[in-house]
Amino acid sequence: MRLGVASLAGRNDIARSNGCKPTGEPAESRQHAADRDGRSHIADSILGDTLAKRAFRVALIKPSHYDADGYVIQWWRSTLPSNSLASVYGLIEECARDRVLGPDVDIEIEAADECNTVVDVKAVAKRIATAGGGMVGLIGVQSNQFPRALDLGRQFRALGVPVVMGGFHVSGCIAMLPSLPADLQEALDLGIHLFAGEAEGRMAEVLCDVAAGRAKPIYKYLNDLPEMAAAVYPILPRSVVTRVAGHYSSFDAGRGCPFQCSFCTIINVQGRKSRYRTPDDVEAIVRANAAQNITRFFITDDNFARNRNWEPILDRLIELRERDKFNIKLLLQVDTLCHRIPNFIEKAARAGCTAIFLGLENINPESLMGAKKRQNKIWEYREMLLAWRAQKVMTYAGYILGFPTDTPETIARDIEIIKQELPVDILEFFYLTPLPGSEDHKTLHMRGVPMDPDMNKYDLEHACTAHPLMSKATWMQVYADAWTRYYTDEHVETIMRRAVVSGINRTKILDSLTIFSGAARIEGVHPLQFGFLRRKIRSQRRHGMPVPGALAFYPWRVADFLKVTAQWLRLIWRYRRIMARVAADPAARSHRDEALRPHTAGGETDHFVEVFADKIPHTHGAPVRAAAPVEASA
Ligand code: B12
Ligand code: SF4
């Protein structure tokens, strides 16, 4: 029997008998190559006898990506939730509620974030077959996750399972490039359907098409961005959320950012106009999660400060916290001008914000201007960071290495300046990367400048194109050195002292320092991808890499595990001792240093701003330029 065709034909029946509107081509012409070609016997046995059932099972998988050895980066517990997964889960749940495949067809859903769950491809395919049909959705696939997503898609296609893939790689490439890149074409050749744009209001169409065996190769909705008000909201079952340490869930309170940073993909996919959820929707999200005993949220807006509805949303969250006693804790992403918005920081803290991510990106105005990040005004950094600190909110700042004028010396100097003069807690480093979907990527692509063809490396932890002043080896060394330079024991102690005197939660700062200091250096992964207890599955190796024999793999894995665990234990022990010393020191409660010096708003210029005085353009509000640059302190 021709399995995949049979299963699609079966769904065809479901879709037709239940009124999904047909959209064109005859079913046979729409079968992708992989359907027409021979398929494995497993597929035959899996999908064989199940067509009579009236259920359609959707397996949502958020792919991870590969480490340098070709093993999937996954953990017993991850540290950050996937909002893409929650968003798409909410949309499929809506389709299930609305019975979009007909009154007699149950839509069953399962969801897995590969960062914290090992995906058993055959078992998933079997569950889909047992249900009577369905599909796999590869969710929120970023460029660095595309090779892994393709490998998963390849395996599911070989078993005859329909696969649809969405996310920033698909959307970014289709939004910015004049033609389809080879990797997206490879996905199409495997019979994987691609979805570009946002799926709110479009998911029923996709499900109906897949169920009817008439899914389009590409769904393109990039020029038609859905409104967020009253849109279906992100949600995940508790069993999925609890696989994230700290049981954080997520939602986006809005999309779109007005700025124009040239390395950013977001503006080219989600647009520059602020689209936002209503306070009622946000309350509904909080209540739905609280009903599952989940009250911690990562609000994933790239820039919550530019969400035009930030104030009524925060007011509602404050009400839920203070009046209804929901123990809400928030993690927000904001920009470096947010302190200028009256009441923003104070209200964020009252709404439960305990930590923020912000894109400091660099302290050299020349680099910021070059990347069109004009809104980052370094002479306001200290005031902004102190404003968050005054509210006991911890700050995580992203710092990009590899702007055109960066050299090992300037980077070393700048990190020392930050340590001494800026009251930021956690600094995380990234390579400047031409991410598909960004203006930078498009420019290099159009000019034919070589870029690494391996998308797995577009994780901001690899040098993906040449730097004008540093060789690749030097740039890599600079990246490795940056972590070591910032997270010295001495500076870790200073950050702890600053936290104690500012009343920032000690456990939180200790845990974050440990993770951000160790993730890149011990595990070889960026802290944003970190989790607890690394898993390496022998058989889940990158396509094309040999699966090692058990006798070679397990002894290596045990040695690897013991080495890494010993390194972690040493780091944990060291940092705990430092914190104990700081906590016991009465002087810590009155600690002062240059970074904590109160900002008087009296027009004074910070020392580091003077260092860059000749690079600051004549922008409104910039301090008066000093005659000559002052010697840096590093
Ligand atoms: C939250 C977030 C994270 C979180 C969680 C990941 C997640 N996807 O939720 C964390 C912190 C883990 C993370 C990490 C990283 N991230 Co991130 N992240 C984001 C952020 C801010 C929001 C994601 C989100 O929820 N978007 C909203 C959802 C609804 O949009 P969506 O994912 O596109 O999904 C919609 C459509 O694409 C479509 N869709 C998606 N999947 C599917 C599947 C099917 C079947 C269908 C029909 C439709 C469909 O429907 C969805 C609903 O409309 C985005 C920026 C952004 N604005 O999206 C960056 C972003 C996705 N991250 C990015 C990057 C680079 C990273 C990192 C590599 C490094 C870093 N500095 O952040 C790491 C590595 C992650 C890893 N390997 O796991 C880039 C990716 C660019 C690219 N070309 O790949 C983005 C775009 C930001 C940027 N710098 O430009 N990230
Ligand atoms: S501020 Fe952030 S989201 Fe906005 S354009 Fe710049 S990098 Fe992108």
Side-chain angles (χ1 to χ4, degrees), residues 271-307:
R272 293 183 55 209
K273 179 173 165 259
S274 172
R275 292 171 288 135
Y276 38 81
R277 296 191 195 274
T278 63
D280 285 350
D281 289 346
V282 170
E283 176 170 348
I285 295 173
V286 171
R287 288 188 182 278
N289 278 285
Q292 309 188 80
N293 204 14
I294 293 158
T295 52
R296 293 177 182 189
F297 301 97
F298 175 16
I299 301 189
T300 61
D301 296 35
D302 302 284
N303 194 345
F304 184 67
R306 302 299 142 192
N307 181 317

Coordinates of all heavy atoms in Angstrom, one line a residue, residues 271-307:
G271 N 7.6 43.7 11.4 CA 7.3 45.1 11.0 C 7.7 46.1 12.1 O 8.1 45.8 13.2
R272 N 7.6 47.4 11.7 CA 8.0 48.4 12.6 C 6.9 49.1 13.3 O 7.1 50.0 14.2 CB 8.9 49.5 11.8 CG 10.2 48.8 11.4 CD 11.0 49.8 10.6 NE 11.3 51.0 11.4 CZ 11.6 52.2 10.9 NH1 11.6 52.3 9.6 NH2 11.8 53.2 11.6
K273 N 5.7 48.7 13.0 CA 4.5 49.3 13.7 C 4.2 48.5 14.9 O 4.2 47.3 14.9 CB 3.3 49.3 12.7 CG 2.0 49.8 13.2 CD 1.0 49.9 12.1 CE -0.4 50.1 12.7 NZ -1.2 48.9 12.8
S274 N 3.9 49.2 16.0 CA 3.6 48.5 17.2 C 2.2 47.9 17.1 O 1.2 48.6 16.9 CB 3.6 49.5 18.4 OG 3.1 48.9 19.6
R275 N 2.1 46.6 17.3 CA 0.8 45.9 17.4 C 0.7 45.3 18.8 O 1.7 44.8 19.2 CB 0.7 44.8 16.3 CG 0.6 45.3 14.9 CD 0.8 44.2 13.9 NE 2.1 43.6 13.8 CZ 2.4 42.3 13.8 NH1 1.4 41.4 13.8 NH2 3.6 41.9 13.7
Y276 N -0.4 45.4 19.4 CA -0.4 45.0 20.8 C -1.6 44.3 21.3 O -2.7 44.5 20.7 CB -0.1 46.2 21.7 CG -0.7 47.5 21.2 CD1 -2.1 47.7 21.5 CD2 -0.1 48.4 20.4 CE1 -2.7 48.9 21.1 CE2 -0.7 49.5 20.0 CZ -2.0 49.8 20.3 OH -2.6 50.9 19.9
R277 N -1.5 43.5 22.3 CA -2.6 42.9 22.9 C -3.3 43.9 23.9 O -2.7 44.9 24.3 CB -2.2 41.6 23.7 CG -1.6 40.6 22.9 CD -1.4 39.2 23.6 NE -0.5 38.4 22.9 CZ -0.9 37.5 21.9 NH1 -2.2 37.5 21.5 NH2 0.0 36.8 21.3
T278 N -4.5 43.6 24.2 CA -5.3 44.4 25.1 C -5.0 44.0 26.6 O -4.7 42.8 26.8 CB -6.8 44.3 24.9 OG1 -7.2 43.0 25.1 CG2 -7.1 44.7 23.4
P279 N -5.3 44.9 27.5 CA -5.1 44.5 28.9 C -6.1 43.3 29.3 O -5.7 42.4 30.0 CB -5.5 45.7 29.7 CG -5.3 46.8 28.8 CD -5.5 46.3 27.4
D280 N -7.2 43.2 28.6 CA -8.1 42.1 28.9 C -7.5 40.8 28.4 O -7.6 39.8 29.1 CB -9.5 42.3 28.1 CG -10.3 43.3 28.8 OD1 -10.0 43.8 29.9 OD2 -11.3 43.8 28.1
D281 N -6.8 40.8 27.3 CA -6.2 39.6 26.8 C -5.1 39.2 27.7 O -4.9 38.0 28.0 CB -5.6 39.9 25.4 CG -6.6 40.0 24.3 OD1 -7.8 39.6 24.6 OD2 -6.3 40.4 23.2
V282 N -4.3 40.2 28.2 CA -3.2 39.9 29.1 C -3.7 39.3 30.4 O -3.2 38.3 30.9 CB -2.3 41.1 29.3 CG1 -1.3 40.9 30.4 CG2 -1.6 41.5 28.0
E283 N -4.8 39.9 30.9 CA -5.4 39.3 32.1 C -5.9 37.9 31.8 O -5.7 37.0 32.7 CB -6.6 40.2 32.5 CG -7.3 39.5 33.7 CD -8.3 40.5 34.4 OE1 -8.4 41.7 34.1 OE2 -9.1 39.9 35.3
A284 N -6.4 37.6 30.7 CA -6.9 36.3 30.3 C -5.7 35.3 30.3 O -5.8 34.2 30.8 CB -7.6 36.3 29.0
I285 N -4.6 35.8 29.7 CA -3.4 34.9 29.7 C -2.9 34.6 31.1 O -2.6 33.4 31.4 CB -2.2 35.6 28.9 CG1 -2.6 35.8 27.4 CG2 -0.9 34.8 29.0 CD1 -1.6 36.7 26.6
V286 N -2.9 35.6 31.9 CA -2.4 35.4 33.3 C -3.4 34.4 34.0 O -2.9 33.5 34.7 CB -2.3 36.7 34.1 CG1 -2.0 36.5 35.6 CG2 -1.2 37.6 33.5
R287 N -4.7 34.6 33.9 CA -5.6 33.8 34.6 C -5.5 32.3 34.1 O -5.6 31.4 34.9 CB -7.0 34.3 34.5 CG -7.3 35.6 35.3 CD -8.7 36.0 35.3 NE -8.8 37.3 36.1 CZ -8.9 37.4 37.4 NH1 -8.9 36.2 38.1 NH2 -9.0 38.5 38.0
A288 N -5.4 32.2 32.8 CA -5.3 30.8 32.2 C -4.1 30.1 32.7 O -4.2 28.9 33.1 CB -5.3 30.9 30.7
N289 N -3.0 30.8 32.9 CA -1.8 30.2 33.4 C -1.9 29.9 34.9 O -1.5 28.9 35.4 CB -0.6 31.0 33.1 CG -0.1 30.7 31.7 OD1 0.5 29.7 31.4 ND2 -0.4 31.7 30.7
A290 N -2.5 31.0 35.6 CA -2.6 30.8 37.0 C -3.5 29.6 37.4 O -3.3 29.0 38.4 CB -3.1 32.1 37.6
A291 N -4.4 29.4 36.5 CA -5.3 28.2 36.8 C -4.5 26.9 36.8 O -4.9 25.9 37.3 CB -6.4 28.1 35.7
Q292 N -3.3 26.9 36.1 CA -2.4 25.8 36.1 C -1.3 26.0 37.1 O -0.3 25.3 37.0 CB -1.8 25.6 34.8 CG -2.7 25.6 33.5 CD -1.9 25.2 32.3 OE1 -1.6 24.0 32.1 NE2 -1.4 26.2 31.5
N293 N -1.5 27.0 38.0 CA -0.5 27.3 39.0 C 0.8 27.8 38.4 O 1.9 27.5 38.9 CB -0.2 26.1 39.9 CG 0.3 26.4 41.2 OD1 0.3 27.6 41.6 ND2 0.9 25.5 41.9
I294 N 0.7 28.6 37.3 CA 1.9 29.2 36.7 C 1.7 30.7 36.7 O 0.8 31.2 36.1 CB 2.1 28.7 35.2 CG1 2.4 27.2 35.3 CG2 3.2 29.5 34.5 CD1 2.1 26.5 34.0
T295 N 2.7 31.4 37.4 CA 2.5 32.9 37.4 C 3.8 33.6 37.1 O 3.9 34.8 37.3 CB 2.1 33.3 38.9 OG1 2.9 32.7 39.8 CG2 0.6 32.9 39.2
R296 N 4.8 32.9 36.5 CA 6.0 33.6 36.1 C 6.0 33.6 34.6 O 5.7 32.6 33.9 CB 7.2 32.8 36.5 CG 7.4 32.8 38.0 CD 8.6 31.9 38.4 NE 8.7 31.8 39.8 CZ 9.8 31.3 40.4 NH1 10.7 30.7 39.7 NH2 9.8 31.2 41.7
F297 N 6.3 34.8 34.1 CA 6.2 35.0 32.6 C 7.4 35.7 32.1 O 7.9 36.7 32.6 CB 5.0 35.8 32.3 CG 3.7 35.2 32.8 CD1 3.1 35.6 34.0 CD2 3.1 34.2 32.0 CE1 1.9 35.1 34.4 CE2 1.9 33.7 32.5 CZ 1.3 34.1 33.7
F298 N 7.8 35.2 30.9 CA 8.8 35.9 30.1 C 7.9 36.7 29.0 O 7.3 36.0 28.2 CB 9.8 34.9 29.5 CG 10.7 35.5 28.5 CD1 11.0 36.9 28.4 CD2 11.5 34.6 27.6 CE1 11.9 37.4 27.5 CE2 12.4 35.1 26.7 CZ 12.6 36.5 26.6
I299 N 7.8 38.0 29.1 CA 7.1 38.7 28.1 C 8.1 39.0 27.0 O 9.1 39.7 27.1 CB 6.5 40.0 28.7 CG1 5.6 39.8 29.8 CG2 5.8 40.8 27.6 CD1 4.8 41.0 30.3
T300 N 7.8 38.3 25.8 CA 8.9 38.2 24.8 C 8.9 39.4 23.8 O 9.7 39.4 22.9 CB 8.8 36.9 24.0 OG1 7.5 36.9 23.4 CG2 8.9 35.7 24.9
D301 N 8.1 40.4 24.0 CA 8.2 41.6 23.1 C 9.7 42.0 23.1 O 10.3 42.1 24.1 CB 7.5 42.8 23.7 CG 6.0 42.6 23.8 OD1 5.6 41.5 24.1 OD2 5.3 43.6 23.7
D302 N 10.2 42.2 21.9 CA 11.6 42.5 21.7 C 11.9 43.8 22.5 O 13.0 44.1 22.9 CB 11.9 42.7 20.3 CG 11.6 41.4 19.5 OD1 12.4 40.5 19.7 OD2 10.6 41.4 18.8
N303 N 10.8 44.6 22.6 CA 11.0 45.9 23.2 C 9.7 46.3 23.8 O 8.9 47.0 23.2 CB 11.4 46.9 22.1 CG 12.0 48.2 22.7 OD1 11.8 48.4 23.9 ND2 12.6 49.0 21.9
F304 N 9.5 45.9 25.1 CA 8.2 46.1 25.7 C 8.0 47.6 25.9 O 6.8 48.1 26.0 CB 8.1 45.3 27.0 CG 6.8 45.4 27.7 CD1 5.7 44.9 27.1 CD2 6.7 46.1 28.9 CE1 4.4 45.0 27.8 CE2 5.4 46.3 29.5 CZ 4.3 45.7 28.9
A305 N 9.1 48.4 26.1 CA 8.9 49.8 26.3 C 8.3 50.5 25.1 O 7.8 51.6 25.2 CB 10.3 50.4 26.6
R306 N 8.4 49.9 23.9 CA 7.8 50.5 22.7 C 6.4 49.9 22.4 O 5.8 50.1 21.3 CB 8.7 50.4 21.5 CG 10.0 51.0 21.7 CD 10.0 52.5 21.9 NE 11.0 52.8 22.9 CZ 11.2 54.0 23.6 NH1 10.3 54.9 23.3 NH2 12.1 54.2 24.4
N307 N 5.9 49.0 23.3 CA 4.5 48.5 23.1 C 3.6 49.7 23.5 O 3.7 50.2 24.6 CB 4.3 47.3 24.1 CG 2.9 46.7 23.9 OD1 1.9 47.5 23.9 ND2 2.8 45.4 23.9

